[in-house]
Structures are given as structure tokens and as C-alpha cells.
Amino acid sequence: MSSLQTVLNSSAIIHPPGFYIIGFDTFPFISTYFIFMAFVYVCTVLFNSLLIYIVAVNHSLHTPRFLAIVNLSVVDLFLNTCTIPGMIKIFLIKDNFIPFNLCFVQMYVYYVLAELESIALTILAYDRLIAICFPLRQNSINTVRRMVGIISITWCFCLGSTAFVTIIMTQLSFCKSVRVFSYFCDYAPVFRLACNDNSLQWTAASVLSMSLLGGPFTFILLTYVSILVTVFRMKSVDRRLKSLATCVEHIIVVAVFYIPLFVIFTIGFYVGAVDPDRRVLSLSLASCIPPCINPVVYSLKTKEIKIRAMALFRVNRVNANK
């Protein structure tokens, strides 16, 4: 004990060998939950891979809109791959230990993808804004080159900003518990294990969360205010309905992603009153369900995608019957 106190007094940084992920230890019906998560992951891989393939092989779909849709699918695919296999491994192999460095790698990848998911939905809102509010200038404003630039900048920003927030976590000492009550190396549960001052980490995480969750959500709200103003200025009722119909799927996807995360992070980060079991369950569902349903609700229902998907299935059926 005295040696530990000496180390603390010398301001040395203490890093344990790793952490134990214990978010599912007390869940009832955990087997059923993980079977459901496995089903969600399979659907995520199948639906998003199908969408990416259809857009990639059809040159007529190489447009700004479908480039933004593929960007969302890539993020969805990576996001669930980052979390669900690790959750299933903990359940099947009963190995809930994660080495120290790998913990922060997982934390970094998860939050980069969560931020990119938020921004990908914002880019799709921008696409709807240009299409409805500036229909005559759409092809000159929203070009493929410009869309590639927007997507590239967002990826670079998320990779860089999250790297800073993750790196400063390594300046914390973990000399108390190494039990992380979450379903992965989650930021808030990990930095609360620190035994030295973690105010810098809390501030950086708060600013980044507000910037990359609150900022895009605010932009989406303003986008739909502009769209509604434009739509209600249209004289034709049919044109109004047709314009609004193109936004319904996007609104559903935005609501499914943002509402649960805002509720969980607001209560957990600032109030601290959320029950840990409920937080883990809610956060895992809020993170894993949208990547599974996004391609079904938003992308695969698109007329162009449906036509090419049906054509692809017909070709495969003909080849199978030969």
C-alpha cells in the first residue's frame, strides 16, 4: 500500500495490463439477447454489402446521392463489425478480458464510426436540401467531385479529433477497479475508473459529443425547416407530397439513430442517474440496430436500388437453374 501511495505522489501514470468487460454479467435471458445480436449482425452484413455491391457495379448509380448512401452503408457495416463480434465472443468463449492498448483501439474505432454515422446522416440531409430547395441548380451544386470532397473531409476530421480524445485517455492512471461496465471499452465507464484528475478527458469528450452529435442534428433540423418552407411554397399539392415523400425514410433513420443516443448520453453523462444495466442494454441496441435497418428503411426501398436488386436476383436464379 505504501509503495502504491509513493507512486501516486510521484505523479506516475499507472496502466493496468487490461480491463474486464462486465456489462452482460447480470443480464437475464442473455442467451436470447446474443442470438438476436447475431441475427442483427448477419442482416447488417448482408443488406449493406448488397447495397454497396449494387451501387458499385452500376455506373448509372455513381451519383452524389448514391455516393452518400454508400458512405452510410460502409459506416454501418464497420460499426456493427466493431462491436457485435466482440460481444458474442465474450458470451461464447467467456473471455471478457481486453488488453490495455486494444481497449483504446476499440474505443477509438467505435467513436470514429459513431461520429461518421452522425455526419453521414447529415450529408444525406444536405443532399435532400439541394434536391428540393435548389432543383434547377442541383447538378451544378451537388457534384460527385464535391460529394467526394465532403465525405473525405468528414472522415479526416473524425479520425483526427477522436485520436486526440483517445490519446489523452492514456494520461489517466487506473489504480482502482479495471471492471468496465459496458459492452465494449466505452469512454465514460473507462475514464470514471481513473484515480487521478479526469476533468480534461470529460471536457474533451463533452465538446466532441456536442460537436459531432448535437451539431449535425441541429443542421438536420435546420435543413428540414428550409425544406418545409420550400415545399409549402409549391402551388401543386401533388408536388408537395412527392417532395415530402422523398424525406420520410431519412427522417425515420435520423430519429432511430439520434433519439436513443441523446437520451442515454444526456442522462448518463450529466445526470448520472441511469441504471448501469439499462444503460448497457439501451446503448447496445441504439448502436447496433440502426446499421441493420438503415439499408432496409432508407436505401433498399429506393426505386433505382430495387430495380437493380431484382435484376440481380433474376440473373442469379437463371444461372442457378442452368
Side-chain angles (χ1 to χ4, degrees):
M1 186 68 183
S2 58
S3 60
L4 176 59
Q5 189 65 40
T6 302
V7 171
L8 290 176
N9 291 337
S10 65
S11 300
I13 297 174
I14 302 171
H15 288 169
F19 298 94
Y20 290 92
I21 310 298
I22 60 167
F24 298 110
D25 284 0
T26 59
F27 276 180
F29 309 111
I30 190 64
S31 301
T32 304
Y33 181 71
F34 276 112
I35 292 172
F36 173 69
M37 281 291 105
F39 173 76
V40 167
Y41 183 63
V42 170
C43 290
T44 300
V45 173
L46 289 177
F47 293 149
N48 286 289
S49 297
L50 174 63
L51 177 61
I52 294 168
Y53 175 77
I54 290 174
V55 175
V57 300
N58 289 276
H59 292 283
S60 61
L61 298 180
H62 294 178
T63 63
R65 181 189 180 193
F66 287 105
L67 184 60
I69 288 175
V70 166
N71 177 55
L72 177 63
S73 287
V74 170
V75 174
D76 285 340
L77 188 58
F78 287 165
L79 182 58
N80 272 4
T81 299
C82 170
T83 53
I84 296 181
M87 293 162 57
I88 296 174
K89 185 204 79 168
I90 292 174
F91 171 69
L92 291 179
I93 307 178
K94 306 298 182 183
D95 179 15
N96 64 342
F97 178 78
I98 182 168
F100 184 85
N101 290 332
L102 186 58
C103 172
F104 288 95
V105 169
Q106 185 188 50
M107 181 189 299
Y108 171 72
V109 172
Y110 173 85
Y111 279 101
V112 165
L113 294 170
E115 292 157 9
L116 286 171
E117 178 93 1
S118 175
I119 295 178
L121 295 175
T122 309
I123 293 173
L124 289 169
Y126 159 78
D127 175 76
R128 290 296 83 211
L129 174 70
I130 301 300
I132 295 175
C133 298
F134 307 96
L136 300 180
R137 299 175 56 197
Q138 179 182 1
N139 293 332
S140 60
I141 296 176
N142 196 18
T143 63
V144 172
R145 184 175 181 179
R146 186 164 295 173
M147 184 60 74
V148 170
I150 292 172
I151 293 173
S152 300
I153 290 171
T154 60
W155 275 76
C156 292
F157 180 77
C158 289
L159 289 169
S161 59
T162 311
F164 168 75
V165 174
T166 307
I167 288 172
I168 63 175
M169 283 284 286
T170 61
Q171 301 304 307
L172 296 176
S173 288
F174 301 94
C175 51
K176 298 179 181 178
S177 174
V178 291
R179 293 159 58 87
V180 179
F181 207 102
S182 185
Y183 64 101
F184 74 107
C185 266
D186 198 355
Y187 196 96
V190 171
F191 86 70
R192 287 194 176 115
L193 298 177
C195 53
N196 56 345
D197 181 29
N198 59 15
S199 56
L200 172 63
Q201 288 74 16
W202 187 90
T203 302
S206 299
V207 171
L208 191 63
S209 298
M210 291 303 298
S211 300
L212 295 177
L213 287 177
F217 183 70
T218 302
F219 178 85
I220 292 172
L221 288 179
L222 295 175
T223 294
Y224 277 106
V225 170
S226 301
I227 288 174
L228 288 174
V229 171
T230 301
V231 166
F232 285 111
R233 285 178 179 174
M234 297 176 181
K235 297 180 180 180
S236 171
V237 176
D238 290 340
R239 193 179 169 197
R240 289 180 184 178
L241 294 175
K242 191 175 293 185
S243 297
L244 290 175
T246 63
C247 301
V248 172
E249 290 86 356
H250 181 256
I251 293 172
I252 294 172
V253 169
V254 168
V256 169
F257 176 74
Y258 279 107
I259 292 176
L261 289 182
F262 273 134
V263 172
I264 295 166
F265 281 121
T266 300
I267 294 175
F269 231 48
Y270 296 102
V271 180
V274 65
D275 179 73
D277 285 337
R278 292 181 180 178
R279 181 186 183 277
V280 172
L281 180 62
S282 302
L283 186 58
S284 61
L285 288 173
S287 300
C288 298
I289 297 299
C292 176
I293 67 173
N294 281 351
V296 178
V297 172
Y298 188 75
S299 307
L300 295 177
K301 290 181 66 178
T302 307
K303 182 180 178 181
E304 297 90 338
I305 296 291
K306 287 172 66 175
I307 292 172
R308 284 160 179 82
M310 294 303 297
L312 179 64
F313 287 133
R314 281 196 293 268
V315 169
N316 290 337
R317 179 178 293 182
V318 170
N319 292 336
N321 292 333
K322 286 184 178 179

